[in-house]
Amino acid sequence: GAVVSQHPSRVICKSGTSVKIECRSLDFQATTMFWYRQFPKKSLMLMATSNEGSKATYEQGVEKDKFLINHASLTLSTLTVTSAHPEDSSFYICSAGLQETQYFGPGTRLLVL
Amino acid sequence: AQSVTQPDIHITVSEGASLELRCNYSYGATPYLFWYVQSPGQGLQLLLKYFSGDTLVQGIKGFEAEFKRSQSSFNLRKPSVHWSDAAEYFCAVGALTSYGKLTFGQGTILTVHP
């Protein structure tokens, strides 16, 4: 139980394009989902908290216009990296909350050329 | 502000040896404590968690952790390590008042020698 999927697992795009990453809770409903970014050999950095039916809450220093988050249903949250640049290349991981525990997706590797 | 410290960046053990990964936290409220494991290029898998009750918690893959309030610690242990345990381990703290948000430690990379 408590399985979270992410799609795509890997994406390569050109600089200036937008990329959408999906996070789904497969066997439970999650009113809250979280988006993290992980740099090589580093811990996870929380980017934003996504609440179903309301606006996401962004952490300090995260550009909300660049990282658009939508949580339209209890099983799906999306992160759109708009006008991506090489410095946005990273490993993005989502998690879904269930009973005070976060369950993580497998991550999405983004490479912006 | 809450914080989590994992003092050991990298630990190497021999297969079959015992393991202890250290985690210290600083948190004003009653903490929820977690250990996650991450294999290269993968997401995080929950090993175990502590919310309340018995301070020794059992997790998956033969891992256990002990909550010691007096030492603000939540160390992860395994009596006999397997080569497949090689991965990065993250300790995290949350609370009811944090609305599900977690604070992660820097992680400990575990290498297992045959």
PDB file of all heavy atoms in Angstrom, chain A residues 74-86:
ATOM      1  N   LEU A  74      -7.525  14.478  -5.604  1.00  0.00           N
ATOM      2  CA  LEU A  74      -6.931  13.873  -4.406  1.00  0.00           C
ATOM      3  C   LEU A  74      -5.855  12.840  -4.731  1.00  0.00           C
ATOM      4  O   LEU A  74      -5.238  12.290  -3.822  1.00  0.00           O
ATOM      5  CB  LEU A  74      -8.024  13.220  -3.552  1.00  0.00           C
ATOM      6  CG  LEU A  74      -8.953  14.202  -2.847  1.00  0.00           C
ATOM      7  CD1 LEU A  74     -10.096  13.465  -2.180  1.00  0.00           C
ATOM      8  CD2 LEU A  74      -8.197  15.032  -1.818  1.00  0.00           C
ATOM      9  N   THR A  75      -5.647  12.581  -6.016  1.00  0.00           N
ATOM     10  CA  THR A  75      -4.626  11.599  -6.389  1.00  0.00           C
ATOM     11  C   THR A  75      -3.609  12.138  -7.377  1.00  0.00           C
ATOM     12  O   THR A  75      -2.720  11.400  -7.799  1.00  0.00           O
ATOM     13  CB  THR A  75      -5.278  10.345  -6.991  1.00  0.00           C
ATOM     14  OG1 THR A  75      -6.028  10.724  -8.163  1.00  0.00           O
ATOM     15  CG2 THR A  75      -6.201   9.660  -5.993  1.00  0.00           C
ATOM     16  N   LEU A  76      -3.699  13.407  -7.734  1.00  0.00           N
ATOM     17  CA  LEU A  76      -2.797  13.929  -8.756  1.00  0.00           C
ATOM     18  C   LEU A  76      -2.346  15.344  -8.438  1.00  0.00           C
ATOM     19  O   LEU A  76      -3.154  16.234  -8.188  1.00  0.00           O
ATOM     20  CB  LEU A  76      -3.486  13.920 -10.125  1.00  0.00           C
ATOM     21  CG  LEU A  76      -2.717  14.585 -11.279  1.00  0.00           C
ATOM     22  CD1 LEU A  76      -1.422  13.833 -11.569  1.00  0.00           C
ATOM     23  CD2 LEU A  76      -3.590  14.657 -12.521  1.00  0.00           C
ATOM     24  N   SER A  77      -1.035  15.531  -8.469  1.00  0.00           N
ATOM     25  CA  SER A  77      -0.446  16.856  -8.397  1.00  0.00           C
ATOM     26  C   SER A  77       0.552  16.966  -9.544  1.00  0.00           C
ATOM     27  O   SER A  77       1.213  15.985  -9.890  1.00  0.00           O
ATOM     28  CB  SER A  77       0.270  17.080  -7.063  1.00  0.00           C
ATOM     29  OG  SER A  77       0.925  18.337  -7.029  1.00  0.00           O
ATOM     30  N   THR A  78       0.626  18.141 -10.148  1.00  0.00           N
ATOM     31  CA  THR A  78       1.574  18.339 -11.235  1.00  0.00           C
ATOM     32  C   THR A  78       2.490  19.512 -10.933  1.00  0.00           C
ATOM     33  O   THR A  78       2.083  20.504 -10.315  1.00  0.00           O
ATOM     34  CB  THR A  78       0.865  18.587 -12.574  1.00  0.00           C
ATOM     35  OG1 THR A  78       0.056  19.765 -12.473  1.00  0.00           O
ATOM     36  CG2 THR A  78      -0.002  17.397 -12.967  1.00  0.00           C
ATOM     37  N   LEU A  79       3.732  19.357 -11.372  1.00  0.00           N
ATOM     38  CA  LEU A  79       4.732  20.416 -11.285  1.00  0.00           C
ATOM     39  C   LEU A  79       5.141  20.768 -12.702  1.00  0.00           C
ATOM     40  O   LEU A  79       5.575  19.886 -13.453  1.00  0.00           O
ATOM     41  CB  LEU A  79       5.953  19.943 -10.488  1.00  0.00           C
ATOM     42  CG  LEU A  79       7.203  20.827 -10.558  1.00  0.00           C
ATOM     43  CD1 LEU A  79       6.972  22.151  -9.834  1.00  0.00           C
ATOM     44  CD2 LEU A  79       8.408  20.112  -9.944  1.00  0.00           C
ATOM     45  N   THR A  80       4.978  22.018 -13.088  1.00  0.00           N
ATOM     46  CA  THR A  80       5.405  22.474 -14.399  1.00  0.00           C
ATOM     47  C   THR A  80       6.569  23.425 -14.244  1.00  0.00           C
ATOM     48  O   THR A  80       6.443  24.451 -13.559  1.00  0.00           O
ATOM     49  CB  THR A  80       4.254  23.172 -15.151  1.00  0.00           C
ATOM     50  OG1 THR A  80       3.155  22.263 -15.287  1.00  0.00           O
ATOM     51  CG2 THR A  80       4.707  23.622 -16.534  1.00  0.00           C
ATOM     52  N   VAL A  81       7.676  23.064 -14.845  1.00  0.00           N
ATOM     53  CA  VAL A  81       8.845  23.936 -14.859  1.00  0.00           C
ATOM     54  C   VAL A  81       8.727  24.775 -16.120  1.00  0.00           C
ATOM     55  O   VAL A  81       8.821  24.253 -17.241  1.00  0.00           O
ATOM     56  CB  VAL A  81      10.144  23.124 -14.868  1.00  0.00           C
ATOM     57  CG1 VAL A  81      11.350  24.060 -14.812  1.00  0.00           C
ATOM     58  CG2 VAL A  81      10.170  22.142 -13.702  1.00  0.00           C
ATOM     59  N   THR A  82       8.473  26.058 -15.953  1.00  0.00           N
ATOM     60  CA  THR A  82       8.239  26.923 -17.105  1.00  0.00           C
ATOM     61  C   THR A  82       9.542  27.551 -17.570  1.00  0.00           C
ATOM     62  O   THR A  82      10.424  27.862 -16.755  1.00  0.00           O
ATOM     63  CB  THR A  82       7.236  28.030 -16.764  1.00  0.00           C
ATOM     64  OG1 THR A  82       7.790  28.846 -15.724  1.00  0.00           O
ATOM     65  CG2 THR A  82       5.921  27.447 -16.287  1.00  0.00           C
ATOM     66  N   SER A  83       9.659  27.707 -18.881  1.00  0.00           N
ATOM     67  CA  SER A  83      10.850  28.307 -19.479  1.00  0.00           C
ATOM     68  C   SER A  83      12.112  27.756 -18.809  1.00  0.00           C
ATOM     69  O   SER A  83      12.892  28.495 -18.195  1.00  0.00           O
ATOM     70  CB  SER A  83      10.793  29.831 -19.336  1.00  0.00           C
ATOM     71  OG  SER A  83      11.862  30.428 -20.036  1.00  0.00           O
ATOM     72  N   ALA A  84      12.263  26.466 -18.927  1.00  0.00           N
ATOM     73  CA  ALA A  84      13.363  25.790 -18.237  1.00  0.00           C
ATOM     74  C   ALA A  84      14.729  26.237 -18.763  1.00  0.00           C
ATOM     75  O   ALA A  84      14.888  26.504 -19.961  1.00  0.00           O
ATOM     76  CB  ALA A  84      13.202  24.288 -18.391  1.00  0.00           C
ATOM     77  N   HIS A  85      15.676  26.313 -17.854  1.00  0.00           N
ATOM     78  CA  HIS A  85      17.056  26.633 -18.192  1.00  0.00           C
ATOM     79  C   HIS A  85      17.976  25.572 -17.622  1.00  0.00           C
ATOM     80  O   HIS A  85      17.571  24.796 -16.739  1.00  0.00           O
ATOM     81  CB  HIS A  85      17.407  28.023 -17.660  1.00  0.00           C
ATOM     82  CG  HIS A  85      16.758  29.131 -18.412  1.00  0.00           C
ATOM     83  ND1 HIS A  85      15.540  29.665 -18.042  1.00  0.00           N
ATOM     84  CD2 HIS A  85      17.120  29.780 -19.551  1.00  0.00           C
ATOM     85  CE1 HIS A  85      15.195  30.594 -18.904  1.00  0.00           C
ATOM     86  NE2 HIS A  85      16.131  30.693 -19.826  1.00  0.00           N
ATOM     87  N   PRO A  86      19.203  25.513 -18.105  1.00  0.00           N
ATOM     88  CA  PRO A  86      20.112  24.457 -17.631  1.00  0.00           C
ATOM     89  C   PRO A  86      20.238  24.381 -16.112  1.00  0.00           C
ATOM     90  O   PRO A  86      20.396  23.283 -15.560  1.00  0.00           O
ATOM     91  CB  PRO A  86      21.434  24.836 -18.298  1.00  0.00           C
ATOM     92  CG  PRO A  86      21.017  25.486 -19.579  1.00  0.00           C
ATOM     93  CD  PRO A  86      19.780  26.274 -19.225  1.00  0.00           C
TER      94      PRO A  86
END
